[in-house]
């Protein structure tokens, strides 16, 4: 089989890279080792209740928002129904140490009012924080579409070396406020003491500018891409693992999959960067690059209970409110290994936001999550595909009970029946990432994430481990990698015309 470009992986970054390249008339083949395309945008149904795994909500989907502009350009926007969170929607934060409660609204004005009411002596720090987010994002082309792309990609932002923790502690000594301002870290998975202000700003600004749900969740995004790619004649070969990248005379020649060889002059790899090292012949990369990629620091994992409530009416606001409980201070993402359920918690119900959910069982679906460490499952760790020991199943059920118990104390509800449970082991195997790292590689201070280019001509990287994580970050990484092949600024100009 022959193609111009082989994309390894059908997550949102691979789908975006493929769709961007087909817009430029490239002949693209996507190879995906899973039976179904979509990567982390997994979806499953239990007892008639739809559950999303890797997508709950996003920013950048309002008018002029980069994800909307990109989806307009790629032709997927017309396949989607996007619902903005209404003005009363928010991330409701309970501070676990003080029991203070703060509503983090998806609007700069409302958020500032709320924070000033909750922390009346901290007006200056709050205003400085919000201004810093806006100022940083005004210098980033994905938020200020008047800017060129190349300078941003080639040189780090001046704010890139500022740590989030020192910045927050310079603004306020109040540990509750520190935790509230740090809380968007949940959406990129870096503990605030390791996080940089610039990355934090990129993610926080996206959500404070407006949060959005998508009818049908992550699966709807995947279906929209599949429809667009089918029109463009793109083959998606599922159930095939790429086993190696073929190299001829220091140039990519294609890939070898579990089913055969595909010849191509460009290959885009979207999986975890460390796993790429095993796909490329020895000696291709310099030792320094090899060591850097081998030693990348990953995000932590999560423990997740997908459940059903008997009485959805008892949790009325859950449709447009995500309920978080977080410790005070800057350790909000740390896992308390002795009492992991006393770490941070999130209760959400993205299925309720589907437009046909009002009459369906989707109303009963509820998702509870907490950060989890690989150390919790290390004693049970078995190879992928092998049966898990009974001790693991017991640990999982007991951990789920304790999580439900905590959630009941915090938020109250009639009863939640656990229907599925995800642990770091589950995420390792289902997402194919080391340690079940839900957001892949950390985008943190002092870590130099790989870019799209590699030393091997024709081999490109993309995905959440490169540019940024989340649906927005991974999508933009797909665009950037396509741009590196096609010419960054011409592609960026075409995209920007869709504002
Ligand atoms: C529990 C959870 C909740 C989340 N919630 C949100 C949210 O609310 N909002 C948000 O914006 N983001 C959220 N995210 C993050 C978001 O889902 C990811 O950042 C994004 O989907 C990553 O896309 P990707 O294309 O980079 O990687 P992936 O989706 O992981 O895709 C990579 C693909 O490559 C394939 N692959 C790898 N190696 C090979 C090989 N050798 N051969 C063939 N195929 C291969 C893999 O099978 C996989 O399908 C969440 C993630 C998780 C896990």
């Amino acid at each position: 089989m022959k193609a111009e470009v082989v994309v390894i992986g059908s997550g949102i970054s691979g789908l975006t890279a493929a769709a961007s390249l087909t817009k430029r008339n490239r002949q693209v083949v996507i190879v995906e080792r899973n039976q179904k395309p979509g990567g982390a945008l997994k979806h499953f149904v239990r007892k008639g209740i739809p559950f999303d795994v890797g997508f709950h909500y996003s920013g950048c989907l309002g008018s002029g928002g980069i994800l909307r502009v990109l989806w307009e350009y790629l032709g997927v926007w017309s396949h989607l129904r996007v619902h903005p969170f209404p003005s009363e929607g928010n991330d409701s934060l309970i501070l676990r140490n003080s029991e203070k409660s703060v509503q983090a609204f998806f609007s700069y004005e409302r958020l500032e009012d709320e924070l000033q009411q909750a922390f009346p002596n901290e007006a200056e720090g709050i205003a400085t924080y919000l201004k810093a987010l806006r100022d940083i994002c005004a210098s980033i082309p994905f938020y200020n579409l008047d800017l060129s792309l190349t300078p941003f990609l080639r040189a780090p932002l001046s704010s890139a070396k500022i740590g989030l923790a020192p910045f927050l502690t310079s603004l306020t000594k109040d540990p509750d406020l520190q935790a509230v301002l740090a809380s968007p870290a949940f959406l990129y998975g870096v503990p605030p003491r390791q996080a940089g202000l610039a990355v934090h700003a990129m993610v926080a600004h996206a959500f404070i500018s407006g949060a959005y749900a998508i009818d049908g969740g992550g699966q709807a995004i995947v279906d929209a891409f599949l429809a667009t790619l089918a029109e463009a004649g793109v083959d998606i070969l599922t159930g095939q693992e790429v086993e190696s990248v073929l190299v001829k005379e220091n140039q990519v020649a294609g890939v070898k999959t579990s089913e055969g060889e595909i010849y191509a002059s460009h290959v885009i790899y979207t999986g975890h960067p460390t796993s790429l090292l095993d796909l490329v012949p020895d000696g291709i990369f310099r030792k320094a690059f090899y060591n850097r990629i081998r030693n990348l620091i990953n995000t932590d994992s999560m423990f997740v209970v997908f459940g059903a409530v008997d009485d959805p009416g008892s949790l009325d606001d859950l449709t447009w409110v995500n309920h978080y409980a977080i410790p005070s201070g800057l350790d909000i993402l740390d896992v308390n290994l002795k009492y992991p359920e006393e770490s941070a918690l999130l209760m959400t119900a993205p299925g309720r936001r589907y437009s046909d959910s009002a009459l369906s069982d989707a109303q009963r679906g509820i998702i509870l999550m907490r950060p989890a460490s690989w150390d919790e499952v290390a004693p049970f760790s078995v190879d992928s595909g092998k049966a898990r020991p009974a001790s693991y199943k017991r640990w999982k059920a007991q951990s789920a009970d304790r999580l439900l118990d905590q959630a009941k104390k915090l938020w109250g509800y009639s009863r939640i029946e656990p229907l599925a449970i995800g642990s770091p082991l589950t995420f390792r195997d289902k997402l194919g990432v080391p340690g079940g790292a839900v957001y892949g590689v950390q985008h943190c201070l002092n870590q130099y994430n790989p870019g799209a280019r590699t030393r091997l001509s024709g081999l490109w990287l993309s995905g959440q481990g490169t540019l940024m994580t989340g649906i927005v970050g991974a999508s933009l990484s797909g665009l950037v990698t396509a741009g590196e092949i096609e010419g960054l600024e011409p592609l960026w100009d075409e995209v920007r015309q869709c504002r």
Side-chain angles (χ1 to χ4, degrees), residues 48-180:
I49 303 174
F51 288 106
D52 264 302
V53 178
F55 178 75
H56 301 144
Y57 60 144
S58 180
C60 300
L61 284 166
S63 175
I66 182 59
L67 196 52
R68 172 166 177 169
V69 170
L70 177 58
W71 285 354
E72 298 256 20
Y73 170 68
L74 298 177
V76 295
W77 178 260
S78 58
H79 296 276
L80 291 166
R81 278 173 299 172
V82 175
H83 304 302
F85 275 55
S87 58
E88 68 274 18
N90 64 82
D91 284 341
S92 176
L93 309 165
I94 295 179
L95 280 306
R96 300 197 75 166
N97 306 61
S98 65
E99 294 184 9
K100 197 176 186 124
S101 165
V102 177
Q103 292 174 301
F105 290 103
F106 307 120
S107 138
Y108 271 95
E109 292 69 30
R110 286 206 72 184
L111 178 61
E112 187 157 8
D113 283 354
E114 166 76 7
L115 293 179
Q116 293 197 354
Q117 277 184 37
F119 303 96
N121 301 321
E122 302 282 353
E124 198 185 325
I126 292 165
T128 307
Y129 170 84
L130 294 174
K131 182 171 180 310
L133 302 187
R134 288 176 124 147
D135 287 350
I136 290 169
C137 291
S139 67
I140 297 175
F142 301 126
Y143 295 105
N144 178 353
L145 274 64
D146 293 331
L147 299 176
S148 308
L149 200 49
T150 321
F152 168 74
L153 294 173
R154 300 287 182 255
L157 293 174
S158 56
S159 51
K161 287 200 155 40
I162 302 175
L164 178 63
F167 177 69
L168 294 180
T169 46
S170 76
L171 299 182
T172 176
K173 301 290 169 249
D174 183 329
D176 284 349
L177 182 57
Q178 288 173 355
V180 169

Side-chain angles (χ1 to χ4, degrees), residues 8-15 31-34 36-42 52-59 187 207 240-243 269-272 275 279 302 304 306 369 427 430-433 437-439 462-465 468-475 477:
I8 306 175
S10 67
I12 189 69
S13 60
L15 295 172
V31 186
E32 169 57 57
R33 68 175 159 217
N34 291 328
K36 282 169 74 181
L41 300 183
K42 294 191 187 307
D52 264 302
V53 178
F55 178 75
H56 301 144
Y57 60 144
S58 180
L187 301 160
F207 284 88
Q240 286 196 37
E241 173 140 15
V242 170
E243 293 170 348
Y269 174 76
T270 71
H272 191 285
S275 306
L279 302 183
M302 282 187 196
V304 186
F306 302 87
M369 299 193 233
F427 288 116
K430 299 273 182 196
L431 303 182
V433 285
V438 281
Y439 286 108
S462 196
Q464 64 177 351
M468 209 29 224
T469 192
I471 299 302
V472 175
S475 301
S477 79

Side-chain angles (χ1 to χ4, degrees), residues 98-405:
S98 65
E99 294 184 9
K100 197 176 186 124
S101 165
V102 177
Q103 292 174 301
F105 290 103
F106 307 120
S107 138
Y108 271 95
E109 292 69 30
R110 286 206 72 184
L111 178 61
E112 187 157 8
D113 283 354
E114 166 76 7
L115 293 179
Q116 293 197 354
Q117 277 184 37
F119 303 96
N121 301 321
E122 302 282 353
E124 198 185 325
I126 292 165
T128 307
Y129 170 84
L130 294 174
K131 182 171 180 310
L133 302 187
R134 288 176 124 147
D135 287 350
I136 290 169
C137 291
S139 67
I140 297 175
F142 301 126
Y143 295 105
N144 178 353
L145 274 64
D146 293 331
L147 299 176
S148 308
L149 200 49
T150 321
F152 168 74
L153 294 173
R154 300 287 182 255
L157 293 174
S158 56
S159 51
K161 287 200 155 40
I162 302 175
L164 178 63
F167 177 69
L168 294 180
T169 46
S170 76
L171 299 182
T172 176
K173 301 290 169 249
D174 183 329
D176 284 349
L177 182 57
Q178 288 173 355
V180 169
L181 302 183
S183 63
F186 274 94
L187 301 160
Y188 57 94
V190 179
R193 290 183 201 282
Q194 279 102 62
L197 177 59
V199 165
H200 185 80
M202 276 190 251
V203 176
H205 177 74
F207 284 88
I208 300 173
S209 304
Y212 300 84
I214 291 175
D215 222 330
Q219 187 61 47
I221 305 174
V222 176
D223 291 344
F225 271 95
L226 296 184
T228 302
L229 292 170
E231 275 166 33
V234 174
D235 282 324
I236 305 187
L237 310 176
T238 53
Q240 286 196 37
E241 173 140 15
V242 170
E243 293 170 348
S244 61
V245 173
L246 303 173
V247 180
K248 203 169 167 194
E249 291 162 7
N250 285 326
Q251 157 74 40
V252 157
V255 295
K256 178 177 176 299
T257 80
S258 41
E259 309 271 311
E261 293 187 341
I262 307 172
Y263 303 106
S265 46
H266 295 279
V267 168
I268 300 175
Y269 174 76
T270 71
H272 191 285
T274 305
S275 306
L276 172 73
L277 301 175
D278 302 327
L279 302 183
V280 175
D282 287 347
I284 293 288
F285 298 132
R286 288 199 186 97
K287 204 164 176 216
F289 177 82
Y290 188 90
N291 287 340
R292 175 158 72 86
I293 301 299
R294 179 66 80 207
N295 294 318
L296 285 169
I297 302 166
N298 289 315
T299 56
D300 262 332
S301 191
M302 282 187 196
F303 186 90
V304 186
V305 176
F306 302 87
V309 284
D310 290 344
D311 173 15
S314 66
L315 294 167
D316 209 19
D317 65 349
L318 198 51
T319 310
W320 297 108
V321 176
N322 302 305
H323 290 273
Y324 286 85
I326 55 176
S328 303
L330 292 169
D331 301 322
I332 55 172
L333 281 188
D334 291 12
V335 185
N336 175 343
L337 279 177
K338 199 160 178 206
Y339 305 107
E341 295 72 31
E342 291 177 16
S343 312
L345 248 70
L346 165 62
M347 180 170 76
T348 186
R352 287 194 188 204
R353 302 171 195 143
Y354 300 1
S355 59
D356 59 1
S357 72
L359 302 173
S360 75
D361 277 335
Q363 282 291 310
R364 297 178 54 231
I366 196 163
I367 301 178
L368 286 168
M369 299 193 233
R370 66 164 173 83
S373 158
W374 178 255
D375 292 345
E376 294 178 64
V377 293
F380 317 108
S381 176
V382 282
D383 292 343
S384 297
K386 297 229 170 95
R388 306 262 200 264
S391 54
Y392 167 71
K393 292 180 185 158
R394 264 196 314 277
W395 169 83
K396 207 165 68 153
Q398 286 164 358
S399 299
D401 281 351
R402 287 198 298 269
L403 187 62
L404 293 173
D405 200 42

